[in-house]
Amino acid sequence: MEFVGIDVGAENLYVAIALDPDKRRFKTSSFSNDSAGQKKLVCWVRKHTQAPFICMESTGYLSQELGLYLHEEGLKVAIVNPRKSRHFYEALGQKNKNDKVDAQTLALFGYRMRPEVWNPPSRNIRELKRLCRRITQLKQERVREKNRLKSLPREDKLTRKSIRRNIHFLDKEIKILEGEIDKFIELGDEDKKEKVSARGMREGESGGESGRESEGGEEKKKKVLLMGSSNT
């Protein structure tokens, strides 16, 4: 088994194959972080390995999308907590830090720590997470608009009217997206675990209108996601 580290950036993917991890010998390359670059990355890894085990940090949407593509290509992937990889980096006594070094460190992390293989959540759960993230964004914007409304003088009628229109729009959009989640719970996949996760995500989005209450709702949602879909 050969261990491969990938440092995931918004524009580029830096890759390191541990040829001899004990002697820290690596083969490295980089690719654009788009569909063409990802295809080239897979071809390059397969050309230089027999049974690759790929390790990368969890960076949200970027790592999820790349991990999903690699998984669909039949490659073993581990998506690790950045805190763990950072502690590992510090334990190695690394002084230089750049994208190339990060990819090499992730390859070493895979070799020494043998993290669990990542299994992506189902398509339904992935879509639900995106919906929940969008609802959170809209609710946060609604809180900001309400705070703006409170801070405006009453004589500023045109601006206040504009803010109220936007709040009304946000209310409608949030209700539509919450309805989409409810449809999944009632009519979606028959997998019981997925329905429990969906219901939990829906409830996790029911935060209040103040900034503090919204943050609480977000924390609740994160806990539900971790419990309901542990492989993500």
Side-chain angles (χ1 to χ4, degrees), residues 46-193:
R46 283 179 169 154
K47 179 180 178 181
H48 297 289
T49 62
Q50 295 294 322
F53 184 98
I54 298 172
C55 186
M56 56 187 183
E57 285 184 343
S58 175
T59 56
Y61 172 78
L62 292 174
S63 61
Q64 288 274 330
E65 289 299 302
L66 178 59
L68 181 62
Y69 174 71
L70 297 174
H71 178 83
E72 290 174 345
E73 286 292 316
L75 299 174
K76 290 183 178 180
V77 182
I79 300 180
V80 302
N81 188 312
R83 186 181 303 169
K84 292 183 178 180
S85 58
R86 184 173 66 250
H87 290 165
F88 181 80
Y89 177 92
E90 293 170 353
L92 291 176
Q94 296 275 28
K95 295 183 179 180
N96 298 321
K97 184 171 174 61
N98 53 50
D99 298 324
K100 181 179 177 180
V101 171
D102 288 346
Q104 294 174 352
T105 302
L106 286 166
L108 283 177
F109 183 93
Y111 170 66
R112 295 189 181 178
M113 307 305 293
R114 307 296 170 99
E116 184 179 353
V117 174
W118 178 73
N119 291 308
S122 71
R123 184 181 299 275
N124 284 332
I125 291 297
R126 294 199 304 271
E127 179 63 22
L128 280 165
K129 286 189 172 185
R130 286 190 286 267
L131 284 172
C132 284
R133 281 195 293 267
R134 181 58 182 156
I135 290 173
T136 296
Q137 292 166 358
L138 294 174
K139 286 188 173 182
Q140 290 172 344
E141 178 60 22
R142 185 170 63 184
V143 169
R144 286 191 288 267
E145 285 288 70
K146 288 187 175 184
N147 288 337
R148 291 185 190 108
L149 189 62
K150 290 178 182 178
S151 66
L152 281 174
R154 293 189 177 278
E155 64 185 25
D156 198 346
K157 295 181 180 179
L158 291 177
T159 303
R160 293 174 68 88
K161 190 174 181 180
S162 171
I163 292 175
R164 287 195 182 97
R165 281 199 305 267
N166 195 35
I167 291 172
H168 179 67
F169 166 78
L170 292 169
D171 287 339
K172 289 175 64 177
E173 194 65 20
I174 290 167
K175 187 174 182 179
I176 289 171
L177 295 182
E178 289 177 339
E180 292 298 323
I181 293 177
D182 290 337
K183 285 180 185 177
F184 171 83
I185 294 172
E186 298 301 324
L187 304 173
D189 197 297
E190 294 182 357
D191 188 312
K192 183 176 179 181
K193 182 179 178 181

